[in-house]
Amino acid sequence: MILRKLSILNYKNIAEATLELSPKMNCFIGRNGMGKTNVLDAIYYLSFCRSAGNPIDSQVIRHEEPFFMLEGNYDEDLCISVAMKRGTKKHFKRNKKEYKRLSEHIGLIPLVVVAPSDTLLIEGTSEERRKLMDMVISQYDRSYIDALARYNNAHQQRNTLLKMEDEEPDPLLMQLWEEQMAESGEELYQKRKAFVDELEPIFQDYYQRISGGQERVGLSYVSHCQRGPLLEVIQRDRMKDRAVGYSLHGVHRDDLEFTLDGHPMRREGSQGQNKTYVIALKLAQFDFLKRTASQTTPLLLLDDIFDKLDAERVEQIVRLVSSDSFGQIFITDTNRDHLDQILRSSALDYRIFHVENGKINV
């Protein structure tokens, strides 16, 4: 997939911008806080129907403005647009026809973003790592989104029953929601397991190439489904769940274990190793989506990825993303030297944009 033209109006700190883009490399240079990341976030929004950093749509509207609008013109005469006025719902359109359900759009324009916040995958809670699985699988398997919605609804309904104080919950209703949690949860488990099993060797290969084979990394999937039939696992501790007021077991507690030389990454990894780990993980996702999602090459967004990496690892990443394996790339940096290094190392078509206080100039 290639984004040919991007139009931005009142999005975060960007008042107005119309960018004619390179089909290969697009570089955004500027000091921190100038709006580089906001350009990438606008591209992300057109793929996922939301901002990467803020789930509240009204908060992406530029201060003191009544609305925002984004429009992307892609290959094959594909035009995606979104607009929203304060106090109203957003309108998300494909070739000027509004979607009835936003989930119908997910996966049409596959995208992978590598950002400084990715270190939360290692340092943060299991929710961050589940989001990672959900975001990737949803881009190539629409039935996954439906199963996730069914599970979340059943989980929420069961928790409502567990929180009841004045009377005991209806046992038949409790059974109904537990069965729905188990049925959709088992489906999610199988899809997540298949994804991790296929992703792990690709990820390990990328890590070895970036690090020069200096460390051995691992990636494994942990789920309550591995303890037996999920319905039995959920029901086994129903009384304990009742005491705490929420569901202690289910795929909403799934996790990914990250290891370095056989030890937990969270405890063992240096800043550089942690960053190498998440970059390798995201590049593996790119490789995976390239073969599965919409039969098209994903967009790759690289936001300030060189900080805290030694020169050798930077060089390896540059070599990787400059290869023919990758399609259109959007990259931000405060340091022109890094971008010049990328451009010198390849014969890529490229455009350089300078960003200052929300204004973007070629």
Side-chain angles (χ1 to χ4, degrees):
M1 184 64 71
I2 301 295
L3 175 58
R4 298 290 181 181
K5 181 179 177 181
L6 175 65
S7 299
I8 304 173
L9 191 60
N10 297 332
Y11 191 78
K12 298 191 172 181
N13 78 327
I14 302 172
E16 185 175 3
T18 299
L19 309 179
E20 301 287 343
L21 299 164
S22 163
K24 186 59 184 177
M25 182 79 72
N26 296 276
C27 309
F28 297 88
I29 302 171
R31 291 174 290 121
N32 290 329
M34 293 294 103
K36 305 185 303 298
T37 298
N38 294 341
V39 179
L40 269 56
D41 195 57
I43 298 169
Y44 181 98
Y45 202 118
L46 291 171
S47 280
F48 290 102
C49 309
R50 63 178 179 83
S51 164
N54 193 336
I56 303 173
D57 289 311
S58 62
Q59 293 182 4
V60 305
I61 302 174
R62 190 166 179 260
H63 294 317
E64 312 304 327
E65 297 296 340
F67 71 97
F68 85 90
M69 187 185 76
L70 302 173
E71 183 174 278
N73 297 100
Y74 301 80
D75 275 351
E76 302 173 2
D77 296 322
L78 174 63
C79 177
I80 302 298
S81 64
V82 58
M84 178 181 168
K85 292 182 180 179
R86 291 190 188 276
T88 66
K89 75 180 188 72
K90 64 187 170 190
H91 298 277
F92 208 94
K93 299 180 181 180
R94 175 181 178 181
N95 293 336
K96 299 184 179 180
K97 183 178 180 181
E98 188 162 0
Y99 281 101
K100 293 181 180 178
R101 298 173 60 205
L102 294 180
S103 61
E104 296 171 2
H105 178 69
I106 306 302
L108 179 67
I109 307 168
L111 178 149
V112 172
V113 57
V114 186
S117 60
D118 289 337
T119 54
L120 284 175
L121 290 169
I122 295 172
E123 300 162 359
T125 66
S126 61
E127 182 181 3
E128 299 291 338
R129 295 179 284 276
R130 285 193 300 277
K131 283 180 182 177
L132 172 77
M133 293 189 285
D134 293 343
M135 187 171 72
V136 179
I137 301 172
S138 295
Q139 290 187 76
Y140 66 86
D141 187 344
R142 188 148 293 156
S143 66
Y144 184 88
I145 303 175
D146 295 334
L148 188 60
R150 290 195 306 274
Y151 181 88
N152 288 340
N153 178 61
H155 175 217
Q156 184 180 27
Q157 296 294 339
R158 183 178 190 263
N159 280 358
T160 299
L161 294 177
L162 292 171
K163 288 182 174 71
M164 291 177 64
E165 296 181 359
D166 297 333
E167 57 182 311
E168 282 301 307
D170 184 332
L172 292 178
L173 197 54
M174 182 72 79
Q175 176 80 15
L176 174 68
W177 293 125
E178 289 171 344
E179 288 175 352
Q180 190 166 122
M181 276 182 70
E183 180 182 1
S184 51
E186 293 275 8
E187 182 179 349
L188 293 171
Y189 168 71
Q190 293 299 332
K191 293 177 184 294
R192 288 173 176 176
K193 183 178 184 302
F195 163 66
V196 175
D197 286 348
E198 190 169 346
L199 185 75
E200 184 182 22
I202 305 171
F203 155 69
Q204 289 174 328
D205 179 60
Y206 271 113
Y207 191 96
Q208 293 299 311
R209 290 158 71 182
I210 295 172
S211 69
Q214 295 179 37
E215 305 105 15
R216 178 173 54 87
V217 289
L219 171 67
S220 58
Y221 175 39
V222 180
S223 174
H224 289 152
C225 286
Q226 293 157 346
R227 301 181 182 181
L230 187 55
L231 183 58
E232 293 180 12
V233 173
I234 292 171
Q235 293 179 335
R236 194 177 299 155
D237 284 324
R238 187 191 282 177
M239 295 307 296
K240 191 181 294 184
D241 291 357
R242 185 82 172 96
V244 298
Y246 57 88
S247 303
L248 291 167
H249 297 90
V251 297
H252 61 283
R253 305 296 291 269
D254 283 1
D255 203 353
L256 291 171
E257 288 187 347
F258 298 160
T259 59
L260 177 71
D261 292 329
H263 302 287
M265 192 78 197
R266 183 199 300 261
R267 193 173 66 233
E268 295 292 319
S270 66
Q271 286 186 320
Q273 288 169 329
N274 287 352
K275 192 148 191 177
T276 303
Y277 194 103
V278 296
I279 290 172
L281 192 59
K282 290 300 189 78
L283 295 183
Q285 290 174 39
F286 180 95
D287 192 286
F288 187 89
L289 285 172
K290 185 178 178 181
R291 292 181 284 111
T292 56
S294 301
Q295 304 300 306
T296 186
T297 302
L299 304 179
L300 180 62
L301 278 52
L302 304 174
D303 189 15
D304 191 25
I305 67 167
F306 298 118
D307 185 42
K308 298 182 177 65
L309 292 176
D310 59 47
E312 290 77 11
R313 296 190 185 212
V314 169
E315 184 178 348
Q316 291 301 323
I317 293 168
V318 167
R319 187 174 293 125
L320 281 170
V321 301
S322 300
S323 71
D324 293 335
S325 300
F326 292 86
Q328 190 178 27
I329 300 168
F330 300 84
I331 186 166
T332 71
D333 207 318
T334 57
N335 189 332
R336 176 67 187 260
D337 292 341
H338 287 145
L339 298 180
D340 285 340
Q341 183 182 359
I342 290 177
L343 302 175
R344 282 198 305 268
S345 68
S346 67
L348 298 179
D349 181 85
Y350 67 90
R351 295 202 77 183
I352 294 178
F353 301 89
H354 298 270
V355 184
E356 185 170 2
N357 293 321
K359 295 181 179 179
I360 306 167
N361 299 300
V362 177

